[in-house]
Amino acid sequence: MQVDVVLDPGTATTSGLTVHGDANSSAVLGYDADSKKVHADRSNSGSAGFHPAFASVEEMPVKLNGSGELALRVYLDRSPVEVFAQNGQRTLTDKVFPNAGADQLGVFGNKVGQQRQQTWWMLSRRTGRASIHHDA
């Protein structure tokens, strides 16, 4: 699956996506405004207890664009998660082992109502179908 999202963090100190989610777990792809870094947190991404070092958080420094936005292109497969920030200026690849049926995707920010309009879409290579979400 390919997910394209443009986040406008506004005054939120953290914002981003949850991927491979279900009622109990998800991997988190987030932006931290204080550190100015994008991170992939797989500590609650499903099966992570098989090795103590696996439940980790990987990060990369990323600058917001001139409009204060963060463009992410994310590729999701059964296990690999690839993140391309700001049109590929920075990239991060990680691996997760989600629970069976974990197929939820979410957008979050810790200052509800502080983000501006967002548009994102997903394309499933398996089905060839696209879904579009737009909210204000």
Side-chain angles (χ1 to χ4, degrees), residues 9 14-15 17 19 33 37 39 47 54-55 59 69 76 78 81 92-93 96 108 110 113 118 121:
T14 59
S15 56
L17 302 171
V19 299
K37 292 182 179 179
H39 61 269
S47 179
F54 184 80
E59 8 178 70
E69 298 169 332
L76 303 169
R78 182 180 306 267
V81 176
L92 186 148
T93 300
V96 298
F108 70 90
N110 72 340
Q118 300 175 35
W121 62 275

Side-chain angles (χ1 to χ4, degrees), residues 86-101:
Q86 304 301 51
N87 299 310
Q89 290 179 13
R90 300 291 301 195
T91 62
L92 186 148
T93 300
D94 221 335
K95 193 167 189 117
V96 298
F97 298 102
N99 296 329

Side-chain angles (χ1 to χ4, degrees), residues 17-22 25-29 39-50 54-58 74-83 92-100 102-104:
L17 302 171
T18 56
V19 299
H20 290 304
D22 61 18
S25 65
S26 64
V28 177
L29 306 175
H39 61 269
D41 180 349
R42 62 186 184 183
S43 61
N44 188 36
S45 62
S47 179
F50 57 87
F54 184 80
S56 64
V57 179
E58 312 302 326
V74 179
Y75 292 101
L76 303 169
D77 206 336
R78 182 180 306 267
S79 184
V81 176
E82 295 182 285
V83 181
L92 186 148
T93 300
D94 221 335
K95 193 167 189 117
V96 298
F97 298 102
N99 296 329
D103 61 358
Q104 296 173 6

